[in-house]
Amino acid sequence: MKKLNNEFIRFAIVGGVNTLNYYLIFLLLNNVFNFYYMVAHVTGIFISMIISYFLNCYFTYGVKPTWRKFFQFPLTQLVNVTVSSSLVFVFVEFFSLSSNIAPIAAMFITVPVTFLVTGKILKQNGAQHET
């Protein structure tokens, strides 16, 4: 249980850093370069997902990155990205939530699922942090 708590704390830290990365990219593309909000959202997710992979390997789960896991990581996140993108769309189009706030609201729904899926993928056949 302690190991799970430590992993979740590290995951939360990486999540905070990753959310900041995503949000800064999103705001830059959406507000400075005037990208359509969904294009800015998906681009931000893609770039932050690459950063997240390495942070989660090294910091959260203490596993060695591999090409196999690198390519599995975004595939397993497909559900998360789909749900997140759908929520952003629904929040903006149906609930008139600001496109600058909608991604943050969606995050509260998707984080617990992401933790479980990420751990399952990255921990396969890899050394992990000591408790």
Side-chain angles (χ1 to χ4, degrees):
M1 187 65 160
K2 183 179 177 184
K3 182 176 182 173
L4 180 63
N5 289 339
N6 289 336
E7 282 181 349
F8 189 76
I9 289 168
R10 288 190 301 266
F11 182 81
I13 291 168
V14 168
V17 169
N18 196 50
T19 299
L20 183 60
N21 288 333
Y22 156 77
Y23 199 51
L24 289 174
I25 293 164
F26 172 79
L27 289 175
L28 179 70
L29 295 176
N30 190 37
N31 295 316
V32 175
F33 294 106
N34 296 315
F35 281 38
Y36 178 62
Y37 74 89
M38 288 304 294
V39 173
H41 170 70
V42 171
T43 303
I45 285 175
F46 179 74
I47 294 169
S48 65
M49 192 179 301
I50 292 169
I51 296 167
S52 178
Y53 170 74
F54 289 103
L55 289 175
N56 275 301
C57 281
Y58 288 117
F59 182 69
T60 304
Y61 300 106
V63 298
K64 182 180 177 185
T66 65
W67 283 110
R68 180 175 182 231
K69 290 177 190 176
F70 180 78
F71 288 112
Q72 285 181 333
F73 185 74
L75 293 175
T76 60
Q77 301 296 312
L78 186 59
V79 171
N80 180 45
V81 170
T82 302
V83 170
S84 173
S85 298
S86 298
L87 288 170
V88 168
F89 180 80
V90 167
F91 290 159
V92 171
E93 299 299 329
F94 296 106
F95 294 106
S96 300
L97 193 62
S98 165
S99 63
N100 291 328
I101 302 297
I104 301 300
M107 176 188 69
F108 286 103
I109 298 170
T110 59
V111 167
V113 172
T114 304
F115 173 71
L116 296 172
V117 172
T118 302
K120 183 174 177 87
I121 291 303
L122 294 183
K123 288 185 197 179
Q124 44 180 326
N125 303 322
Q128 299 170 15
H129 284 290
E130 301 278 329
T131 56

